[in-house]
Amino acid sequence: MEQPNISYIQSMSGGDVAFEKKIIAIIKEEFPLERAEYTNNFKSKKFGLAAQNVHKLKHKISILGLKKSYDIAVAFEYNLLDGNSELNEDFESILDTISHYLNQL
């Protein structure tokens, strides 16, 4: 599985380390809250709301350089809108990978 990285953040920063740290801090703060909200909505079978959560989370997936995972998130978002939860295991695996990575930063 692909691994998260901060290459995109570094490319946006132009070498401004303070900017990089600020973006990383925001992601570290928001990600667990967004994940929890997604989990609650998914478990409650509120797939429309879960799709909105996936939409928010997929931007963090992209920022962390996870191109294949982003594609899975896009497909999962559309699946949820159709009431299909088929890609949940894959999506949860992506979230686990990101959580582990953020805990290491």
Side-chain angles (χ1 to χ4, degrees), residues 22-102:
K22 184 174 184 176
I23 296 298
I24 292 167
I26 291 169
I27 292 171
K28 288 176 83 169
E29 179 182 335
E30 291 179 351
F31 180 81
L33 302 173
E34 291 174 3
R35 182 180 186 173
E37 186 176 349
Y38 159 75
T39 300
N40 289 336
N41 285 327
F42 184 83
K43 285 182 178 179
S44 300
K45 299 195 183 305
K46 297 177 183 174
F47 292 155
L49 292 174
Q52 291 176 17
N53 302 134
V54 171
H55 183 80
K56 287 182 184 178
L57 286 162
K58 76 181 181 186
H59 295 294
K60 288 176 178 58
I61 292 168
S62 177
I63 287 171
L64 292 172
L66 300 168
K67 294 176 180 160
K68 292 177 186 174
S69 297
Y70 179 85
D71 292 340
I72 291 169
V74 169
F76 187 45
E77 178 183 0
Y78 286 116
N79 284 358
L80 285 170
L81 290 171
D82 289 336
N84 178 345
S85 63
E86 186 176 310
L87 292 173
N88 182 57
E89 279 187 37
D90 294 334
F91 190 69
E92 285 289 340
S93 179
I94 293 164
L95 298 180
D96 288 343
T97 299
I98 291 172
S99 290
H100 179 72
Y101 178 74
L102 293 175

